[in-house]
Each structure stands twice: as C-alpha cells, then as structure tokens.
Amino acid sequence: MHAGLTEHDAKTRLTEDGPNELPRARQRTVARILAEVIREPMLALLLVGGGLYLLFGDLHEALILLVFASFSVAITVIQESRTERMLEALRDLTSPRALVVRDGRQRRIPGREVVRGDLLVLGEGDRVPADARLVVADELRVDESLLTGESVPVAKRVAISATEPVARPGGDDSPFVYSGSLVVRGGGLATVVATGEHSEIGRIGKSLAQVDTEVPRLRVQTLRLVRIFGLLGGTAAVLAAVLYGLARQDWLEGALAGIALGMAMLPEEFPMVLTVFMAMGAWRISRAKVLTRRASAIESLGAATILCTDKTGTLTQNRMTVRNGWNGAPCAPGQMGQLALYGLLAAAPQPVDPMDVAFHDLASEHGLSPDHPAGRWLRMTQAFGLRADLLAVTQIWQDADGAQLAAAKGAPEAIVALCGLTAPDAVGVKAAVADMAAEGLRVLGVACADVPPGASISGPRDLTFRFVGLVGLVDPLRPSAKAAVQDCRRAGIRVVMITGDHAVTARAIAAEAGLDTGDALSGQDVTGMDDAALTAAVADVTVFSRVLPEQKLRIVTAFKARGDIVAMTGDGVNDAPSLKAAHIGIAMGGRGTDVAREASSIVLLDDDFGSIVRAIRLGRRIYDNLRKAMGFIVAIHIPIAGMALLPLLLGMPIILTPIHIAFLEMIIDPVCSLVFEAEPEERDVMDRPPRSPDAQLFSRPMLMWSMFQGAATLGIVVAVYLFFAAQDLPVTQLRALTFLTLAVGIVTLIYVNRSFAASPLRAFARPSLALVGVPVLVGAALALILTVPVLGRLFGFGPLRAMDIGTSLAACGLLFLALEGVKAVAGRRLLP
C-alpha cells in the first residue's frame, strides 16, 4: 500500500532541491580565522607599530612588537580553531539518519539524502529528518521543544487529506511532524513535504541572515584612543625634533630626541593588551567549560544588564520528574507506593516519553523493578494507547499463575470517567488537579483494574477501574540555576524567562528559580503591541510565556531599544534569531541545535546555567584587568615622555635615548600583558551593578587618576634629577640615577594599579607568579646594567654610590605611600 518513491525519483528530486540540510555559514577554517584575526584593527596597528620601529632602525623594539603580535595571533587562532572543531564534532553527533520506504522496501539513509515525497518510517527515539504529513499515526507523540520551547510532548493524528495545509509546530492533534523534533512514543508513516531551508527549521535559519550582529563597543573605543594618542605622539615627536634642531643646531641629535619622544608616546601597548587579553580570556573561559566562538564577545560579558533565558533545558533539566501526588490527600514522592506501582505498569517498559521515564524513576525509588514490577507481573499482554475519545494509556500485565491486572494513566478527566467516580468524588479530584496545576505541575491520573480470568478485552472500557490517585510531574530546575539567578541579582543583572510553555508552568518555574514573577506577558500580548508599546512594557516584565520565535526576536530587540546589554541563552532552533540579535548569544553545546550554536558567540559545553554566571564573572574580571592595564599604560607614558621632553625645554643634556625607551618598554610590555591579565578578580566583582552601556573604557575619573599617577611619578623623577644635578654629578651618573628612579617608579605603579580600591596588604595577599617574576627580572636586569661596565657604557651610565641608589629607592617608596594614601581616601570614586 505504501511503496514510497523509486530510487530514480529520489535522485532526481535530490538534484532539483538539493540536500536536506540547512545552508551553513562558510566554514571557519584555520586560514579564514587567521585572516579575520589579522584584519582586526588593534592587531593591524600593532603590526604598523612594529613597522614604524623598523623604519626608525630600532630592530629590538620592532622584534618585541612583532613577537607579541605573533603570540596573540597564535593564541587566538588555536583557541577559535579548537572551538570550531568541537562544534563540528557536535554537529556530527547530532546529524540524524532516516528510515524511508523506497521501491517498496525500507532503507536507512543519511538525513541529508531525504527528499520531498519520501515516505518516512517513524518510531520511538527517532529524530524526524524533515517536515512531513502523517499518513499513519499509532499513538504518536512528539517532543517539539527545540522548535516551540514547550517541554511536554504533543499528540499527532493522521492527515485528513493530502492537501491539508501545513500548520505551525505546537499543540496536540496536528497531522504534521517537523524536522529536528523527537518521537517519544508510538510510531507512524509520514510523507515529506519540505526539506532543508524550506522546512520549519530552515525558515527560522533563513531569518538569521536578516539579523545584524552587534559590533563590539570596546574595539571601537580602543581604536579611537589609539588614534588620539598616536596623533599626539607623532605631533610631539616632530615638534621635539624641530625644537631641538632650531635651538641647538644639531639636527641629527634632534631627530634622535624626536624618535625617543615618539617612542615614549606611541601607544603600541593598547592594541597588544587588547589582543592578548581577549585571546587569554577565551582560554580562561574555556576552562570553565564555555567555548568562545569569537573572542570579542568576552568584552560584553561584564556589561550585560539583561539575561534572557529559555526555560526548557536551560533553567530546567528537560526531563520530567514526579514532584508530588494525591490519593485522597496530598502525598510526597516517598509516600506513593501504589501510584508508583500502577504508574509503572501503565508506562512503556522501555521508556522514551519523559513522563514514562519519570514513572520508572519513581518506581525505582520504591524498590520496584521495571522488568518485574512488585516481583509478580512478568509480561505485558495487551496495550491500548491514547485515543481522541479517551486520553489515557492502558496496559494489561500477567503473572506466573496467569492472573492479569490492568493499569491506566492519562488525563485526570479521562481517568475519572474510566473509573466512573461519583459526582462528589469527581469534584474532589478536580479540586486537587486545580491545586497541583496552580503549582505549574503536569497532572496525570492513575487507575487499576482486575482482569477476569479468560476475559477477552477489546478496550479499557471493558474493565472496571479503581481510582488510585493523581501524580504531579514537573521539568525540574537545574541544581545550579537558583544560585546562578541569585548571583545575577546581586550583580545587578536582570534575569528574564522567555518560553513557549504555558503561563502557569512558566510562573511556577520562575518563582522556584528566584525570579520576580510580578508582571508577565504572553506571545499573544506581544503580537498585539507595536514596537514602542513593547519597548515600554518589557521594563517591568520578567516572564514571557507561549512565545513564538519571531516574538523572541522582538523581545530582545525591545530590550536593546531601551539601552540594555542583552545576553540571550537558548538551545533550540527557535532561539537562533534572538541569539544572533543579542549582544551576547549563549547556546547550549550538549542539547543545542547546530543552528543555535552557529548563531551564538558563546557555547556552554555542559549546558549548565551556572556556567553563564562563571562566564560573566570572568568577563568582569577581564574587563577590570584590562582597565587596570590601560590606566597603567597612560600613567607610565607621562613620566617617560616628560623625561624625554624636559631636557629639551630646559636646555639640559638629553637623559633618555631610544635604547633607554626600548628597555623601559621591556618592562611595560610584559607587565601589561602578563601581570595584569593574570591578576585575580576584585572581591566585589559580582557585587556591583553592570557598567553602563555608554561607559567609556577611560572614564573621566579614571583618566584623571592615571594622569595623576603619571604626574606624581614624573614629579619624583624630576625631583631626583634636579637634586643630583645640583650636586654637579657627571652626566653619566645623573642619567643612571634618573633612569633607575624612572624604572623603579614604573614597577611601583604596577603595585598601585593591581587593585582599584583594595589595601596594599590585601593586594599583596593575592599571589601572582607573574607579579613576582616581572619585578625580579627587572631588578636583575637593572643590577647587571648598573654593575657591568660594558653594559653601563652601552646605556651611557656611570658608576653609582650605594647612598645615591638608596635615595632613588626611597623616593619611589614615598611615591607608593602617597598614591596608596590617595587611593584609600578616594576609593572606588577613582574608577566608577
């Protein structure tokens, strides 16, 4: 009767329509990732800086910049390539195969070879490979949560005619199955009506092309800063060279002075720091089982103000479990022996349906074996599935002596009717159902009946059933979800649930997770609002229920229109457009679909909602440390530039030459990229509100604080310079002491900038290998330069007395105490 297509017709249609798969974004190969990284403005500027130093003839500094650039490129390429390989592995694992009928025979083929008109054979546990119209449906129930967000499987029926129009997913009594959905009970035959991009999944996938990805704000801000500092540095270098040449008629020496000043002011550390921080940040976040598909997403994590989360599989575990029961009175799961026994007898022996799995779990808690319930009932002899006129499943079991027992479970009203309860008893059951449903529970009734010996049973109504009770099932909250929501609340991040489930279920889960459940909107409410009204409404709404994919996108867009930084979590195809539209799209790596993963910028490998908070914590730490590094860069460039320019203005001998600047850069570069990147998080990292979406990398207080530090350091260095200049020291000794003071002053600023507001003792209590290593290496290098005559002559240094060195170190100690005193008084006001 059902011969299916011929192989010839199938090949013809495959050629016409193309393979049954979604159009993929061009694969991010190593070469493509490398090209993307090199095109990054920050890295390009780093390479330009190296080229300028080569032009100036400073091979040493050029090599330093190019090595750091290569290091950053390598880390980024390795991390992002690893991420893409893991996503390819996930894609292979989730690629479905299909059982089809061709030429009258069943064949198992790759899902991509399914074509329009193919006859699919569907059974429990199968992933539907394409959209199809049912021609046979035997107690068929399908989990469509990846498309609709609804956690409860829906019942299917046979199509009335071959011309019945295709309906949208969701709801019971539909004659269509959809690509990506899962058969959890029963089986059937279905004729394929749409494949690939023409399927429901494909329709959502194509909408992604119309959604723009957010441009990282930090990159724009940093590029603007680099341009400003680069322009200032270049202008100062030219002016210094001209000033020196005109004043002293020594144009070669003037050119060297200009180059030294330009090197002192050229902000090559900015792009280097940003590149290294993002690459190392992606590596650190990956250790928390979070893949960063694009390192630029890290910058937004610490600024997230709204976290839009799906319910099914994100806040919850996407499995059903028994929460409580009722057998004339409420009872806990541990007090449900009879409900556990008869619920197990009415469940499939090899469960796929989440509710059947829940009854097996409940039975195990009561010591009942799924193979031999209560040690007596050995085999199932008959089964009657759901029907439109009786929404209940009935199964008949037999023991070793031939005695039989029937067990039924299903909709409470169907079980009440099957048992023939009196009106008062039915009213009591109805009230109990209402109470359990108000808690967001899926309620099922359970009944049992003795089967007369030798009786011929044609259906459940041939038996006299006894009412056993009610069972309340729920998709349980993830263990980490409640604590994660509390962490978000403490951090000033508002968590919003957007789900396809019913409002009552959504509110119950939201309340259990600790979300505010005051105002709620349904998908129908969203449809009835224009964009302006929706933007105003989302300000006070925490729960959105019965939401369709296009409505999720509108909700995310509404939050963005309010100026929020939006993070969106999800795993289904229905989440993909909103994942792409959000500032931070967070997909689930285990249960999530390929479409969701490819639309996101971050993927959770363990599907754990708590991992989101860990990622946000790391994102805030990375941004904090990035600001510390940037502030340090501004601060130390002031004394370096000042000491390169001051002798020109005062008509005194030049103190700093390109070789001295290059040595100081050897301190600055590893400090910025190693010490500050490895710095532990601030104690209040999750106790402060998200930074403003309009916040600049350099706020006015932060810039003033950095300039104050730089000016104070310059003042100390100038004071030491003038103090020893007044003693008529030789220029070589004066240069050595000034340089020593400047180098130690830079190391001092490392410790000042380690923490925004922590006391020195508390900051020192946080160990950091890089923090110990850099000062030790700097001290060793200074000792060699000051004590080895050959090196001293290379730097133009003369021998120093211990007393003079002590004076220089004491001046730097005074600098540290003064700056820490200011920080203790001002506290966080320095860096709001």
Side-chain angles (χ1 to χ4, degrees):
M1 182 178 176
H2 300 290
L5 294 177
T6 65
E7 285 293 342
H8 177 269
D9 288 342
K11 288 180 180 178
T12 301
R13 293 190 182 186
L14 185 62
T15 302
E16 292 174 353
D17 297 344
N20 177 36
E21 58 187 10
L22 298 182
R24 294 184 187 176
R26 190 156 51 100
Q27 186 177 3
R28 299 183 76 219
T29 61
V30 173
R32 185 180 174 196
I33 293 172
L34 179 61
E36 290 176 359
V37 171
I38 292 177
R39 284 200 303 268
E40 285 289 322
M42 298 300 98
L43 186 62
L45 190 62
L46 198 62
L47 297 173
V48 168
L52 288 176
Y53 280 117
L54 283 175
L55 183 64
F56 289 152
D58 189 345
L59 180 63
H60 180 270
E61 183 66 14
L63 288 176
I64 290 177
L65 286 182
L66 294 176
V67 165
F68 268 106
S70 301
F71 175 71
S72 301
V73 169
I75 289 179
T76 304
V77 170
I78 290 171
Q79 179 63 36
E80 295 196 10
S81 298
R82 176 174 172 267
T83 297
E84 294 306 313
R85 285 197 302 272
M86 296 185 75
L87 290 174
E88 282 295 324
L90 287 170
R91 183 180 293 113
D92 292 340
L93 287 173
T94 55
S95 178
R97 293 180 65 80
L99 184 62
V100 300
V101 177
R102 287 185 181 172
D103 293 320
R105 295 182 296 108
Q106 292 188 4
R107 287 193 54 207
R108 182 75 67 179
I109 64 173
R112 69 187 307 275
E113 296 180 9
V114 171
V115 298
R116 186 171 36 85
D118 255 330
L119 187 63
L120 301 176
V121 181
L122 302 174
E124 288 188 10
D126 286 346
R127 183 74 65 179
V128 179
D131 291 2
R133 179 184 290 107
L134 287 162
V135 296
V136 174
D138 181 16
E139 305 174 20
L140 184 63
R141 296 181 70 82
V142 179
D143 178 356
E144 296 179 348
S145 60
L146 291 182
L147 290 166
T148 66
E150 293 189 45
S151 57
V152 178
V154 292
K156 298 294 181 179
R157 63 169 173 85
V158 173
I160 298 173
S161 71
T163 59
E164 189 170 352
V166 179
R168 297 294 298 277
D172 288 314
D173 205 34
S174 168
F176 294 95
V177 290
Y178 302 92
S179 178
S181 57
L182 179 68
V183 177
V184 297
R185 188 179 184 89
L189 296 175
T191 302
V192 174
V193 296
T195 62
E197 64 180 14
H198 303 292
S199 66
E200 184 69 18
I201 280 183
R203 189 186 66 80
I204 297 173
K206 284 193 295 184
S207 71
L208 294 177
Q210 303 170 9
V211 180
D212 295 327
T213 303
E214 286 292 322
V215 178
R217 302 187 183 195
L218 186 59
R219 178 167 43 180
V220 176
Q221 292 183 19
T222 309
L223 183 58
R224 184 172 67 249
L225 283 172
V226 168
R227 287 172 178 167
I228 293 172
F229 278 87
L231 180 62
L232 290 175
T235 302
V238 172
L239 289 177
V242 172
L243 177 65
Y244 195 96
L246 291 175
R248 306 193 186 186
Q249 299 301 310
D250 188 341
W251 292 99
L252 178 59
E253 192 73 12
L256 289 175
I259 290 172
L261 184 58
M263 291 172 62
M265 297 186 67
L266 187 67
E268 76 277 5
E269 296 91 357
F270 281 174
M272 179 193 67
V273 164
L274 184 63
T275 306
V276 171
F277 268 57
M278 294 302 104
M280 293 297 292
W283 173 74
R284 290 188 186 280
I285 287 179
S286 72
R287 297 174 67 189
K289 296 185 178 180
V290 178
L291 289 182
T292 307
R293 296 196 66 222
R294 291 173 179 82
S296 58
I298 297 170
E299 70 181 70
S300 301
L301 279 171
T305 58
I306 296 288
L307 176 54
C308 297
T309 175
D310 191 19
K311 180 186 75 69
T312 305
T314 307
L315 279 175
T316 65
Q317 300 177 34
N318 194 37
R319 67 179 183 86
M320 301 302 287
T321 187
V322 175
R323 172 66 60 83
N324 57 31
W326 185 88
N327 54 8
C331 52
Q335 303 167 337
M336 298 168 58
Q338 292 294 301
L339 284 167
L341 170 61
Y342 296 116
L344 178 63
L345 290 172
Q350 301 297 325
V352 176
D353 187 307
M355 286 180 284
D356 282 349
V357 173
F359 276 105
H360 277 254
D361 291 341
L362 179 65
S364 296
E365 293 177 12
H366 288 77
L368 301 175
S369 166
D371 298 322
H372 305 293
R376 176 182 176 187
W377 305 106
L378 302 180
R379 66 187 185 91
M380 186 169 62
T381 58
Q382 282 183 281
F384 303 96
L386 292 169
R387 297 201 311 263
D389 61 338
L390 183 62
L391 296 178
V393 174
T394 302
Q395 297 180 161
I396 299 177
W397 291 75
Q398 187 178 67
D399 66 9
D401 299 327
Q404 295 187 93
L405 177 77
K409 66 176 175 61
E413 59 274 17
I415 296 298
V416 167
L418 196 61
C419 295
L421 294 185
T422 62
D425 290 339
V427 169
V429 172
K430 186 176 180 180
V433 170
D435 291 340
M436 297 169 76
E439 298 177 25
L441 303 180
R442 172 82 167 182
V443 184
L444 295 180
V446 177
C448 67
D450 295 319
V451 180
S456 177
I457 308 302
S458 60
R461 289 191 172 92
D462 293 343
L463 299 171
T464 303
F465 278 89
R466 301 185 302 275
F467 185 77
V468 177
L470 301 172
V471 173
L473 301 101
V474 67
D475 183 4
L477 202 67
R478 285 184 177 272
S480 61
K482 190 168 186 177
V485 169
Q486 291 175 344
D487 286 342
C488 288
R489 187 189 295 273
R490 201 175 72 249
I493 302 169
R494 184 173 154 216
V495 181
V496 174
M497 179 195 292
I498 306 176
T499 179
D501 256 333
H502 291 277
V504 173
T505 304
R507 281 179 177 272
I509 290 294
E512 186 179 355
L515 275 65
D516 295 326
T517 57
D519 293 335
L521 284 180
S522 68
Q524 187 174 1
D525 296 330
V526 172
T527 300
M529 296 180 178
D530 59 21
D531 291 343
L534 181 59
T535 300
V538 298
D540 302 310
V541 177
T542 303
V543 177
F544 296 85
S545 61
R546 306 300 277 171
V547 173
L548 297 174
E550 55 270 25
Q551 293 165 346
K552 283 190 175 187
L553 180 58
R554 284 194 65 204
I555 292 167
V556 170
T557 304
F559 279 119
K560 289 169 62 177
R562 290 179 50 81
D564 284 304
I565 299 297
V566 183
M568 171 71 190
T569 72
D571 52 13
V573 175
N574 60 324
D575 297 322
S578 47
L579 284 172
K580 185 175 181 182
H583 296 93
I584 313 157
I586 307 173
M588 301 298 167
R591 182 178 179 271
T593 59
D594 293 339
V595 175
R597 288 192 288 262
E598 290 180 1
S600 66
S601 50
I602 291 175
V603 179
L604 303 184
L605 287 181
D606 56 3
D607 288 8
D608 188 349
F609 185 79
S611 296
I612 300 171
V613 176
R614 291 194 293 273
I616 291 174
R617 179 185 294 272
L618 282 168
R620 289 191 172 194
R621 166 190 163 177
I622 290 167
Y623 189 80
D624 276 357
N625 290 344
L626 180 62
R627 297 190 79 195
K628 294 172 186 177
M630 294 295 195
F632 172 80
I633 291 170
V634 172
I636 57 91
H637 272 276
I638 291 174
I640 294 175
M643 290 311 299
L645 182 63
L646 193 64
L648 299 179
L649 299 178
L650 299 180
M652 303 181 71
I654 293 178
I655 298 298
L656 299 181
T657 64
I659 190 173
H660 300 116
I661 305 295
F663 180 86
L664 293 175
E665 297 285 351
M666 289 177 62
I667 300 175
I668 298 166
D669 291 342
V671 163
C672 295
S673 55
L674 296 178
V675 172
F676 288 111
E677 195 284 325
E679 187 63 23
E681 65 191 40
E682 297 280 332
R683 292 181 64 184
D684 66 342
V685 70
M686 292 297 285
D687 293 322
R688 52 178 128 111
R691 67 179 188 271
S692 169
D694 299 324
Q696 298 295 313
L697 181 63
F698 276 106
S699 62
R700 180 172 296 179
M702 177 181 173
L703 185 60
M704 296 300 295
W705 170 234
S706 295
M707 293 178 67
F708 178 80
Q709 292 180 71
T713 305
L714 177 60
I716 288 292
V717 174
V718 169
V720 170
Y721 173 81
L722 295 176
F723 175 77
F724 287 109
Q727 299 180 26
D728 294 327
L729 286 181
V731 172
T732 55
Q733 293 183 17
L734 184 61
R735 178 178 292 118
L737 283 169
T738 305
F739 182 80
L740 173 65
T741 307
L742 182 56
V744 176
I746 289 174
V747 174
T748 299
L749 292 185
I750 299 174
Y751 292 94
V752 172
N753 285 278
R754 280 195 68 196
S755 172
F756 290 145
S759 68
L761 290 177
R762 188 182 300 162
F764 281 123
R766 299 186 307 198
S768 170
L769 183 61
L771 185 70
V772 174
V774 169
V776 169
L777 291 176
V778 171
L782 285 173
L784 288 173
I785 293 172
L786 294 174
T787 57
V788 176
V790 175
L791 295 177
R793 286 193 296 271
L794 179 64
F795 279 79
F797 292 165
L800 296 179
R801 298 173 300 179
M803 181 181 299
D804 296 338
I805 294 175
T807 301
S808 173
L809 296 179
C812 292
L814 180 63
L815 172 68
F816 176 77
L817 294 176
L819 292 177
E820 284 294 336
V822 172
K823 191 167 67 174
V825 173
R828 273 234 170 254
R829 285 174 293 174
L830 297 172
L831 295 161

